[in-house]
């Protein structure tokens, strides 16, 4: 899931939800114990909330589950990402949750703190079947709340025609990345070498990978760490594309990705959904003018960001066993592969990538490799607040209003003030 275009930022209603629910778990309490589910026959209705394209397509997709489980009816309500978070927290506060809901990849810590989520049954799935970064999105203090459903990660998109004209191959390191962007601009015909996010919405998702690639972490010993030497190294790398005039800071809202299609920028980082966008918007033949490559490696690694969505069950579910059985079915490799063909959502289950629906696509294989060590932000209740701080400070950095050192200091100070929420 693109956490900026396929879901809206959370609305900061956590405190209200916790107070209303009145059952939040303290930071020093032991992890919740998960109850198992029945291995017998299931019946009855299961109510499900799902968002975006997935929400629109899931209603028809569940017919296979109903056919395999006579007597079970799955009722899917499609809701928009822009209202999903507020709708879920309001439902928790009012004690009127569905049985199952799709949740954003950074929501599990926040929602679990309310006490409204049912811990994932120990006999439901094998967590090792999922990409490690995907399971990390539902693991809160050693207890899983939900099961990863689909994933996304970021890779490098580039104009193959411009790269060929410039005589360059996709970059493998940070240094080569700068040289690659220069070549696309100076020799390849791109007005700007690269499109790098700098306004509210996506910049933090491009900077976190740089911190990881530099060997840094977002959190250490339960505290945010944005002022480490590794974080500073990452901020300098991020800034360099702007200071060297290789990435624009005056792109009109909504102009991208047309700027890439028109050849005004030669590359960018984005998720798998962009393949379809470019192929559709670029018109006949444009799919042959771009390709994807892994993230260039930093001083330590080439780690990328992992996003997506999970499926979670609420403690007030009227049909708990059937709800979890439904999620178990969604996690089967064959079902995951079929879901990919339905909405192009990448499987969170690693074995699904061996299914024929996915093995034939060379571009898709790049995402599969990138997912193997991709990471996610910590599942802290306050993460969305911290993400907004990141956006604001990164924009100042990109526009030259503050230095990397000042940015790191501002990020750390505000993150410490916000706290983890645990």
């Amino acid at each position: 899931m693109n956490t900026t275009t396929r879901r809206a930022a959370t609305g900061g209603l956590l405190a209200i939800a916790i107070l209303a629910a009145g059952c939040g778990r303290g930071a020093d309490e032991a992890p919740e114990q998960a109850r198992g589910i029945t291995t017998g026959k299931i019946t009855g209705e299961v109510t499900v909330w799902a968002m975006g394209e997935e929400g629109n397509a899931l209603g028809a997709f569940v017919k296979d589950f109903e056919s395999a489980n006579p007597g079970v009816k799955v009722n899917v309500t499609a809701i928009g990402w822009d209202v999903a978070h507020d709708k879920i927290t309001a439902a928790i506060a009012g004690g009127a949750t569905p049985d199952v809901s799709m949740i954003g990849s950074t929501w599990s810590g926040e929602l679990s703190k309310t006490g409204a989520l049912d811990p994932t049954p120990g006999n439901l799935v094998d967590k090792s079947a999922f990409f490690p970064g995907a399971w990390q999105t539902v693991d809160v203090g050693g207890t899983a709340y939900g099961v990863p459903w689909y994933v996304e990660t970021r890779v490098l998109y580039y104009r193959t025609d411009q790269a060929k004209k410039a005589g360059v191959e996709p970059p493998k390191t940070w240094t080569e990345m700068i040289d690659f962007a220069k070549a696309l601009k100076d020799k390849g015909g791109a007005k700007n070498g690269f499109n790098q996010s700098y306004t509210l919405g996506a910049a933090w998702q491009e900077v976190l990978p740089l911190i990881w690639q530099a060997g840094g972490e977002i959190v250490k010993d339960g505290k945010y760490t944005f002022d480490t030497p590794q974080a500073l190294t990452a901020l300098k790398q991020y800034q360099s594309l702007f200071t060297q005039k290789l990435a624009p800071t005056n792109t009109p809202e909504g102009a991208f990705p047309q700027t890439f299609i028109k050849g005004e920028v030669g590359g960018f980082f984005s998720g798998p959904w962009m393949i379809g966008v470019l192929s559709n918007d670029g018109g006949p033949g444009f799919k042959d003018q771009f390709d994807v490559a892994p993230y260039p490696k930093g001083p330590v690694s080439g780690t990328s960001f992992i996003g997506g969505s999970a499926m979670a069950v609420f403690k007030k579910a009227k049909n708990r066993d059937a709800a979890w059985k439904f999620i178990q079915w969604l996690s089967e490799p064959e079902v995951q592969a079929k879901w990919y063909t339905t909405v192009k959502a990448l499987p969170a289950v690693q074995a699904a990538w061996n299914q024929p629906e996915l093995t034939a696509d060379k571009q898709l294989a790049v995402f599969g490799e990138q997912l193997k060590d991709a990471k996610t932000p910590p599942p802290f209740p306050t993460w969305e607040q911290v993400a907004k701080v990141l956006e604001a400070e990164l924009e100042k950095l990109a526009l030259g209003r503050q230095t990397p050192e000042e940015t790191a200091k501002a990020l750390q100070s505000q993150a410490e003030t916000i706290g983890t929420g645990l």
Side-chain angles (χ1 to χ4, degrees):
M1 168 189 73
N2 175 348
T3 53
T4 60
T5 59
R6 294 177 78 167
R7 78 162 176 82
T10 52
L13 295 183
L14 171 65
I16 297 174
I18 292 175
L19 289 173
C23 51
R25 184 166 56 90
D28 57 350
E29 291 181 37
E32 285 195 77
Q33 298 300 310
R35 292 188 294 125
I37 59 169
T38 180
T39 56
K41 181 179 174 62
I42 53 173
T43 59
E45 291 190 3
V46 178
T47 56
V48 180
W49 288 358
M51 289 72 93
E53 296 174 47
E54 291 76 18
N56 293 328
L58 187 59
F61 190 79
V62 301
K63 300 302 180 184
D64 287 349
F65 176 74
E66 293 174 339
S67 297
N69 295 274
V72 175
K73 173 65 176 175
V74 179
N75 296 315
V76 178
T77 298
I79 56 180
W81 275 115
D82 57 337
V83 299
H85 177 270
D86 290 359
K87 187 176 178 66
I88 291 172
T89 53
I92 291 172
T97 55
D99 293 320
V100 179
S101 182
M102 176 178 166
I103 62 173
S105 62
T106 59
W107 295 6
S108 60
E110 179 183 359
L111 297 179
S112 66
K113 176 98 177 185
T114 69
L117 297 185
D118 190 30
T120 306
N123 64 340
L124 188 76
V125 295
D126 178 2
K127 71 177 185 180
S128 67
F130 299 82
F131 286 106
W135 193 262
Q136 186 184 358
T137 67
V138 299
D139 189 317
V140 182
T143 298
Y145 294 92
V147 173
W149 184 21
Y150 67 83
V151 292
E152 56 93 346
T153 192
R154 310 303 156 87
V155 300
L156 171 68
Y157 283 75
Y158 68 99
R159 288 285 298 250
T160 51
D161 52 345
Q162 292 180 344
K164 182 178 181 180
K165 184 179 179 180
V168 290
E169 296 291 329
K172 291 182 171 58
T173 66
W174 280 10
T175 300
E176 289 181 7
M177 175 65 210
I178 301 299
D179 294 339
F180 183 72
K182 285 180 179 177
L184 293 179
K185 179 179 179 180
D186 297 341
K187 301 176 182 179
K191 179 181 178 182
N192 296 288
F194 207 74
N195 186 84
Q196 186 167 247
S197 299
Y198 63 93
T199 55
L200 296 178
W204 68 267
Q205 296 170 12
E206 294 188 18
V207 168
L208 261 56
L210 298 180
I211 296 176
W212 294 323
Q213 290 163 20
E217 293 295 339
I218 312 305
V219 172
K220 185 176 182 180
D221 298 329
K223 297 180 180 180
Y224 289 115
T225 53
F226 291 106
D227 60 352
T228 62
Q230 295 86 353
L232 183 59
T233 297
L235 291 171
K236 289 179 178 178
Q237 175 69 10
Y238 170 77
Q239 183 196 42
S240 63
L241 284 172
F242 296 112
T243 56
Q244 297 187 50
K245 306 299 182 185
L246 298 174
T249 56
N250 59 351
T251 303
E253 186 176 354
F256 178 82
Q258 283 298 322
T259 51
F260 179 76
I261 293 171
K262 294 175 182 177
E264 295 175 8
V265 295
F268 61 94
F269 293 112
S270 191
W273 62 87
M274 191 58 75
I275 292 177
V277 172
L278 295 176
S279 298
N280 292 333
D281 293 358
F286 187 70
K287 63 182 178 62
D288 299 321
Q289 292 183 299
F290 74 91
D291 205 351
V292 295
Y295 237 111
K297 289 186 178 180
V300 174
S301 72
T303 302
S304 185
F305 169 88
I306 189 170
S309 284
M311 282 291 192
V313 173
F314 293 95
K315 287 182 178 176
K316 288 186 177 293
K318 294 183 175 67
N319 198 346
R320 178 181 182 270
D321 281 353
W324 280 119
K325 284 275 193 176
F326 172 63
I327 293 176
Q328 185 180 54
W329 174 77
L330 288 176
S331 303
E332 294 174 4
E334 297 80 4
V335 176
Q336 289 249 307
K338 185 175 181 180
W339 183 240
Y340 167 74
T341 65
T342 304
V343 294
K344 300 304 180 187
L346 302 184
V349 174
Q350 297 184 66
W353 289 76
N354 298 323
Q355 296 293 315
E357 294 92 332
L358 285 89
T359 55
D361 192 327
K362 291 183 178 179
Q363 289 184 331
L364 200 61
V366 174
F367 288 94
E369 283 299 311
Q370 191 76 74
L371 280 164
K372 290 181 179 178
D373 73 341
K375 293 184 178 181
T376 186
F380 290 164
T382 59
W383 173 252
E384 293 294 343
Q385 297 174 57
V386 173
K388 290 179 181 179
V389 168
L390 275 163
E391 294 297 317
E393 298 303 326
L394 290 173
E395 183 172 6
K396 295 175 188 175
L397 176 62
L399 296 177
R401 296 173 183 167
Q402 64 187 18
T403 66
E405 289 81 2
E406 290 169 336
T407 302
K409 184 178 180 180
L411 289 174
Q412 186 63 27
S413 175
Q414 293 179 73
E416 286 180 356
T417 299
I418 294 170
T420 64
L422 295 176

